[in-house]
Amino acid sequence: MKQVILTHIQIEQKINRLAFQIIENTFELDTIYIGGITGNGVILAEKLKTIIDKNSDQKTILFEIKLNKEQPLSSPIQLTIAADELNGKTVILVDDVLNSGKTMQYGLMKVLEQAVDKVYTTVLVDRKHRRFPIKANFFGLRLTTILKNHVDVSLEKDNYSAQLY
């Protein structure tokens, strides 16, 4: 049975809060790079970029981290920007749900192939079932669930939701 854990309005509020947390923690930087992980991570990253652009003078550069979430090493992990652009930069790594940490960890490994200055991890829902040593610097909702539960986030236009089942 599905249970709504975040409504459209709540998700909008969480995204706004996440964007302002990013601004507050990177205000001294001229440019930040926002890397969304394939799927909802990219959509969330786009939404964060829009809010940051409206509320800050920072330059934001959006890119996608393309990877297979089920089998990350089954194909090369790719960035949609030249990787060397990240040298010496601050990267905001974005995904919708952080559960075991596998997807975020593989995305982070790709980013860390460059000599970045700092990386912040940002997620809408943090489930806290880590199998990999990664944490969310910024999260919309921290949720304690049982392992067999699943969180489904929908970021369809005008109909956002997060459901637990």
Side-chain angles (χ1 to χ4, degrees):
M1 180 171 175
K2 288 188 177 184
Q3 173 186 356
V4 175
I5 55 174
L6 291 172
T7 65
H8 181 88
I9 292 170
Q10 290 171 320
I11 290 175
E12 282 185 333
Q13 291 169 338
K14 303 269 185 221
I15 292 171
N16 272 305
R17 185 170 53 82
L18 289 168
F20 279 97
Q21 285 180 300
I22 292 167
I23 292 168
E24 289 170 1
N25 283 274
T26 63
F27 70 91
E28 76 283 358
L29 302 172
D30 294 330
T31 304
I32 57 172
Y33 287 75
I34 303 174
I37 294 178
T38 297
N40 279 344
V42 174
I43 296 168
L44 183 57
E46 289 169 348
K47 293 178 184 314
L48 291 168
K49 179 186 183 330
T50 299
I51 296 165
I52 292 167
D53 288 348
K54 286 181 185 175
N55 295 284
S56 172
D57 293 332
Q58 291 174 307
K59 180 178 179 184
T60 55
I61 298 172
L62 181 70
F63 67 97
E64 180 177 355
I65 301 166
K66 295 182 176 184
L67 61 82
N68 178 329
K69 290 185 174 192
E70 298 301 317
Q71 298 290 324
L73 296 178
S74 65
S75 57
I77 300 170
Q78 299 175 328
L79 306 178
T80 58
I81 62 168
D84 63 351
E85 277 189 57
L86 301 177
N87 284 326
K89 305 299 182 196
T90 294
V91 176
I92 312 299
L93 189 58
V94 181
D95 205 2
D96 59 345
V97 179
L98 179 56
N99 185 29
S100 71
K102 179 172 77 172
T103 302
M104 187 73 78
Q105 185 73 42
Y106 279 98
L108 177 64
M109 286 170 40
K110 184 64 178 177
V111 168
L112 291 178
E113 288 176 3
Q114 305 307 309
V116 298
D117 182 51
K118 189 179 284 188
V119 177
Y120 290 106
T121 54
T122 305
V123 295
L124 185 60
V125 180
D126 181 0
R127 286 197 50 210
K128 297 174 30 173
H129 288 293
R130 301 295 182 276
R131 293 186 327 216
F132 292 79
I134 196 149
K135 71 176 185 114
N137 295 108
F138 311 119
F139 58 89
L141 175 68
R142 182 163 278 159
L143 188 64
T144 302
T145 63
I146 58 175
L147 284 172
K148 71 177 187 174
N149 285 136
H150 182 75
V151 173
D152 182 39
V153 173
S154 173
L155 295 174
E156 292 179 22
K157 186 177 181 181
D158 300 325
N159 190 26
Y160 308 159
S161 70
Q163 298 182 342
L164 176 68
Y165 60 95

